[in-house]
């Protein structure tokens, strides 16, 4: 199972890297076309904005590990392990409930956008913004699995020794 998860993680990372590489190449082509050929590429801005949207939410959903996210853990690190476990359970529940409550209205709004198209390429905007629905679903699933782990009576909070600042 770990091997499958490892390969899925590598694929997700590869997709993010590919999107970033396409963004970079398209950005360079846009600069060359605008300033050397004096003939700007009109559609490149739309593709760049769409790719940026997709890479942000794709990476947030599938590439970032738990320890890569921004944390405000001053209080968390200064309480006993049982209290830390309670904090983890409450925060996972809060994320699941908050994102869960927003999922259906958000998906409804995304699907409403099927009637609109992008300005230049005429892409359906529900396709463009669907990544946010995927992001919500992935985060709900991720924290649901984490909650199951946190609720296990044998779960021990692990300190990230390599992340703590040396004094």
């Amino acid at each position: 199972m770990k091997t499958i998860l490892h390969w899925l993680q590598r694929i997700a990372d590869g997709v993010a890297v590919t999107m970033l590489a396409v963004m970079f190449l398209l950005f360079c082509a846009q600069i060359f076309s605008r300033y050397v050929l004096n003939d700007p590429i009109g559609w490149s801005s739309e593709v760049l904005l769409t790719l940026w949207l997709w890479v942000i939410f794709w990476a947030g959903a599938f590439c970032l590990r738990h320890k890569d996210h921004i944390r405000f853990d001053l209080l968390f690190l200064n309480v006993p392990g049982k209290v830390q476990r309670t904090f983890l359970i409450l925060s996972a529940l809060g994320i699941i409930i908050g994102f869960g409550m927003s999922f259906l209205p958000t998906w409804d709004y995304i699907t409403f956008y099927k009637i609109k198209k992008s300005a230049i390429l005429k892409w359906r905007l529900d396709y463009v913004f669907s990544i946010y629905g995927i992001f919500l679903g992935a985060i709900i699933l991720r924290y649901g699995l984490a909650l199951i782990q946190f609720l296990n009576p044998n779960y021990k909070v692990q300190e990230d020794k390599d992340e703590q600042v040396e004094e």
Side-chain angles (χ1 to χ4, degrees):
M1 185 66 166
K2 260 190 170 179
T3 306
I4 293 171
L5 290 175
H6 176 71
W7 278 104
L8 288 174
Q9 181 70 50
R10 290 181 60 112
I11 290 168
D13 291 345
V15 169
V17 166
T18 302
M19 286 190 283
L20 285 169
V22 169
M23 284 177 64
F24 176 73
L25 293 173
L26 188 54
F27 182 70
C28 290
Q30 184 182 46
I31 291 171
F32 179 79
S33 177
R34 177 178 302 252
Y35 295 109
V36 175
L37 303 177
N38 201 23
D39 185 25
I41 306 170
W43 54 266
S44 63
S45 295
E46 198 168 288
V47 174
L48 283 168
L49 287 170
T50 302
L51 279 172
W52 182 246
L53 177 77
W54 270 75
V55 78
I56 293 300
F57 287 115
W58 180 269
F62 303 115
C63 300
L64 292 177
R65 297 168 301 198
H66 181 71
K67 69 179 188 173
D68 294 333
H69 288 271
I70 295 172
R71 297 184 283 186
F72 300 100
D73 55 5
L74 183 64
L75 179 62
F76 179 82
L77 293 174
N78 291 301
V79 295
K82 288 184 180 187
V83 178
Q84 286 181 345
R85 185 168 169 253
T86 302
F87 284 174
L88 290 171
I89 291 168
L90 292 174
S91 64
L93 277 171
I95 289 169
I96 293 166
I97 292 168
F99 278 33
M101 288 175 57
S102 73
F103 185 79
L104 288 178
T106 300
W107 194 254
D108 186 45
Y109 191 72
I110 290 169
T111 56
F112 166 75
Y113 263 125
K114 71 182 171 196
I115 64 172
K116 292 189 171 225
K117 296 187 185 296
S118 64
I120 297 170
L121 295 174
K122 304 298 181 203
W123 288 344
R124 282 180 40 181
L125 291 183
D126 59 334
Y127 295 153
V128 171
F129 294 115
S130 64
I131 188 61
Y132 186 68
I134 294 167
F135 168 78
L136 280 177
I139 295 298
I140 292 167
L141 179 63
R142 176 184 268 185
Y143 278 91
L145 294 172
L147 180 62
I148 292 169
Q149 182 183 13
F150 301 152
L151 289 171
N152 180 349
N154 297 325
Y155 179 76
K156 298 255 189 268
V157 178
Q158 297 176 2
E159 292 183 22
D160 296 325
K161 300 267 189 226
D162 58 324
E163 292 182 27
Q164 293 187 6
V165 179
E166 293 181 18
E167 296 180 28

